C-alpha cells in the first residue's frame, strides 16, 4: 500500500557508476520490467479505474492528465547508470500515462528519453512525445538553426514525427513559430505551441494564445503559483488551446513545505492518499488544464505520481478547501522565494557545465543552477 502520510523525499540525485553500463535490449528490458513491477505494485488495486483524460481541442486527441517531465531528472553524465530512469519511464507508461516532455536544453534528457523508449519498445502510439526549440539565427528571420534543432530532436527521440514542438521560453518566437507551422504541414510535427515557466512572460504568452495559432501552451501553474488563473487559463479555454502544466510540485518545494504531515481527512474522502496526488489533482482539477507534467528520477515517486491519473478529480469547492488547507501551513507565504530542489542534486552535463561559471547565489549553486537557462 502506498504511504498515506506525506512523503519527505530523499535525495533524488543519481549515483554515477563511473563507467558505462552495457545492456542488450532483452536484458535491459527484463531488468527494468522486474524492478518496475515491484515499484508499481501499490497502484495495482487502482488499475481497473478509468484513466482520467482531457481532450486537445484542436486535434480531438485525449491525453492522460498526468505526464512525465524530464528537466534535470533525465540529465546524466555520459556513462552513468540509467536503469532507474528506465524504471521511471516504464512506471509511467505501464501505469497509464503516455505523455513525455523534454527539450534540447535538458542536457542528456532528450537523448535518454529517446534511447530508453526505444529499448523498452515504446514506439508507435505508446508515447506522446513533446520537445522544444530554443534557437536564434545568424540574422533576423533566419530559421536554419531551428530546423537543425528539430532534425536533431527527431534523431535523438528516434521519431519520424514529434507529437508536439514548443518554442522554448518564447525564444525567437516570431521567426520560429511560422516555421513550426510549415513543418507541421509537412508531417514532421503534430501539434505546435509555446512554453515558459516564468510568470513575467505570461502576457506575451497570452498574446500568442489570442492569435489563435497555437495547439498547446505550456505554463507554470501550481497550488502555490496561481497567476495563470487570471488570464492564461481562461484564454486558452476560450481559444481551444491545450494546456501542459510545468512545475506542479514547485521543484519539490511543496514537499518540503508539508514535510511528514499526513494529507487532511477531507482529501482522503475522495481517495487522495499522499501529497503528490493532492498537488496534482488540485492542478488538473482546473478544467482548462490538459496534462500536468511532473519530473522525477525515483521510480517509487513515479508510482505515486501516476496515482493521480485515476479516481475522483476535485471540483471547484474542494479545490478551494485544498488551497485553504495548504495556505495555512507555516512557510507557505515564503515558498516561492525558496531555492528550487531543496536538498537535491542532479549531477548531469548541465550542472557540470555550469560549475565553470557558478552563480553568486550560494543557494543556486547548491541545486545546480540550471534555473537560469530554463
Amino acid at each position: 500500500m502506498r504511504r498515506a502520510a506525506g512523503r519527505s523525499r530523499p535525495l533524488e540525485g543519481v549515483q554515477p557508476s563511473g563507467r558505462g553500463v552495457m545492456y542488450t535490449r532483452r536484458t535491459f528490458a527484463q531488468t527494468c520490467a522486474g524492478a518496475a513491477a515491484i515499484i508499481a505494485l501499490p497502484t495495482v488495486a487502482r488499475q481497473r479505474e478509468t484513466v482520467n483524460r482531457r481532450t486537445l481541442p484542436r486535434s480531438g486527441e485525449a491525453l492522460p492528465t498526468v505526464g512525465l517531465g524530464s528537466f534535470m531528472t533525465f540529465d546524466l553524465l555520459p556513462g552513468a547508470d540509467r536503469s532507474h530512469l528506465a524504471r521511471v519511464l516504464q512506471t509511467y507508461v505501464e501505469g497509464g500515462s503516455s505523455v513525455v516532455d523534454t527539450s534540447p536544453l535538458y542536457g542528456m534528457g532528450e537523448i535518454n528519453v529517446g534511447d530508453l523508449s526505444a529499448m523498452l519498445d515504446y514506439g508507435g502510439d505508446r508515447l506522446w512525445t513533446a520537445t522544444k526549440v530554443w534557437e536564434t539565427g545568424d540574422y533576423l528571420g533566419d530559421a536554419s538553426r531551428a530546423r537543425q534543432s528539430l532534425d536533431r530532436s527527431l534523431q535523438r527521440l528516434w521519431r519520424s514525427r514529434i507529437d508536439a514542438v514548443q518554442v522554448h521560453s518564447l525564444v525567437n518566437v516570431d521567426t520560429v513559430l511560422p516555421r513550426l507551422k510549415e513543418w507541421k504541414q509537412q508531417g514532421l510535427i503534430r501539434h505546435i505551441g509555446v512554453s515558459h515557466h516564468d510568470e513575467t512572460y505570461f502576457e506575451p504568452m497570452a498574446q500568442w494564445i489570442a492569435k489563435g495559432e497555437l495547439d498547446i501552451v505550456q505554463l507554470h501553474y501550481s497550488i502555490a503559483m496561481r497567476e495563470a488563473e487570471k488570464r492564461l487559463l481562461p484564454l486558452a479555454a476560450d481559444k481551444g488551446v491545450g494546456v501542459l502544466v510545468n512545475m506542479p510540485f514547485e521543484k519539490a518545494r511543496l514537499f518540503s513545505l508539508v514535510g511528514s504531515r499526513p494529507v487532511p481527512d477531507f482529501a482522503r474522502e475522495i481517495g487522495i492518499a499522499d501529497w503528490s496526488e493532492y498537488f496534482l489533482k488540485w492542478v488538473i482539477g482546473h478544467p482548462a488544464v490538459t496534462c500536468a507534467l511532473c519530473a522525477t528520477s525515483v521510480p517509487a515517486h513515479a508510482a505515486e505520481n501516476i496515482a493521480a491519473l485515476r479516481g475522483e478529480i476535485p471540483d471547484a469547492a474542494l479545490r478551494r478547501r485544498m488551497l485553504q488547507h495548504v495556505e495555512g501551513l507555516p512557510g507557505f507565504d515564503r515558498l516561492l522565494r525558496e531555492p528550487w530542489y531543496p536538498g537535491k542534486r542532479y549531477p548531469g552535463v548541465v550542472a557540470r557545465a555550469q560549475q565553470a561559471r557558478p552563480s553568486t547565489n550560494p543557494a543556486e549553486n547548491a541545486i545546480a543552477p540550471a534555473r537560469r537557462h530554463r
Side-chain angles (χ1 to χ4, degrees):
M1 182 176 294
R2 285 189 305 124
R3 293 193 302 272
R7 63 182 176 193
S8 179
R9 289 188 168 184
L11 190 68
E12 284 194 0
V14 299
Q15 298 297 322
S17 63
R19 60 182 179 179
V21 179
M22 299 301 294
Y23 299 94
T24 67
R25 176 170 157 181
R26 175 176 296 178
T27 57
F28 182 91
Q30 288 174 341
T31 300
C32 295
I38 295 172
I39 291 167
L41 185 60
T43 68
V44 169
R46 302 185 67 175
Q47 293 300 309
R48 295 179 182 177
E49 297 182 49
T50 302
V51 170
N52 294 317
R53 296 180 182 273
R54 292 269 171 78
T55 300
L56 290 172
R58 297 291 176 87
S59 66
E61 186 171 0
L63 297 185
T65 52
V66 176
L68 176 62
S70 60
F71 178 62
M72 298 305 290
T73 55
F74 270 59
D75 181 24
L76 301 176
L77 294 174
D81 180 14
R82 300 187 296 183
S83 61
H84 63 295
L85 297 184
R87 297 197 299 273
V88 166
L89 178 60
Q90 189 175 34
T91 300
Y92 267 80
V93 175
E94 302 303 327
S97 186
S98 57
V99 176
V100 180
D101 179 75
T102 188
S103 171
L105 267 74
Y106 297 172
M108 297 289 289
E110 205 174 45
I111 294 171
N112 284 327
V113 167
D115 282 359
L116 297 176
S117 62
M119 290 176 181
L120 292 167
D121 201 20
Y122 291 158
D125 296 331
R126 294 297 302 274
L127 289 185
W128 194 92
T129 307
T131 192
K132 306 178 184 76
V133 172
W134 161 297
E135 294 290 348
T136 57
D138 293 328
Y139 48 84
L140 188 63
D142 176 24
S144 61
R145 294 185 185 177
R147 181 51 194 260
Q148 292 169 7
S149 177
L150 174 64
D151 290 341
R152 186 168 56 248
S153 293
L154 286 163
Q155 294 168 7
R156 288 176 170 180
L157 294 170
W158 204 249
R159 300 271 160 176
S160 60
R161 181 176 62 174
I162 298 175
D163 293 293
V165 176
Q166 305 144 90
V167 181
H168 198 138
S169 298
L170 300 177
V171 171
N172 201 23
V173 62
D174 295 299
T175 295
V176 175
L177 192 62
R179 300 304 186 274
L180 294 185
K181 293 170 64 177
E182 294 176 5
W183 301 331
K184 178 182 175 182
Q185 293 174 351
Q186 295 170 12
L188 298 173
I189 302 169
R190 298 184 60 237
H191 303 83
I192 63 173
V194 299
S195 71
H196 218 299
H197 75 283
D198 190 336
E199 64 271 23
T200 60
Y201 289 86
F202 279 7
E203 178 54 33
M205 290 181 74
Q207 294 174 15
W208 280 104
I209 296 172
K211 291 180 180 181
E213 300 179 1
L214 305 180
D215 301 314
I216 61 169
V217 61
Q218 184 179 146
L219 52 82
H220 179 185
Y221 183 50
S222 76
I223 200 169
M225 216 297 288
R226 304 179 300 280
E227 185 69 22
E229 293 177 344
K230 295 179 180 178
R231 187 176 182 202
L232 285 188
L233 291 176
L235 184 60
D238 181 62
K239 293 295 183 178
V241 175
V243 175
L244 306 181
V245 167
N246 57 46
M247 298 177 64
F249 297 146
E250 288 299 336
K251 304 300 185 190
R253 292 176 292 184
L254 281 169
F255 294 114
S256 291
L257 174 74
V258 298
S260 60
R261 296 178 179 86
V263 295
D265 289 340
F266 68 81
R268 296 180 190 278
E269 292 175 1
I270 68 163
I272 293 176
D274 60 26
W275 286 108
S276 59
E277 194 172 356
Y278 188 102
F279 296 133
L280 286 172
K281 284 198 169 178
W282 186 91
V283 168
I284 63 180
H286 194 292
V289 170
T290 308
C291 178
L293 303 168
C294 39
T296 184
S297 61
V298 179
H301 295 166
E304 294 176 351
N305 294 344
I306 62 168
L309 275 172
R310 293 173 169 82
E312 185 175 346
I313 295 178
D315 59 15
L318 184 53
R319 291 179 80 238
R320 286 193 295 271
R321 190 174 181 185
M322 294 168 75
L323 172 60
Q324 290 170 358
H325 179 83
V326 176
E327 282 181 324
L329 297 179
F332 181 84
D333 57 337
R334 303 187 304 274
L335 184 139
L336 295 180
R337 298 193 297 272
E338 296 296 323
W340 288 3
Y341 304 120
K344 305 176 189 297
R345 287 181 179 272
Y346 296 98
V349 298
V350 172
R352 181 175 63 181
Q354 292 185 352
Q355 288 174 1
R357 53 182 189 88
S359 167
T360 56
N361 183 340
E364 288 193 353
N365 291 334
I367 60 169
R371 73 166 72 188
R372 300 193 302 270
H373 294 274
R374 188 178 185 229

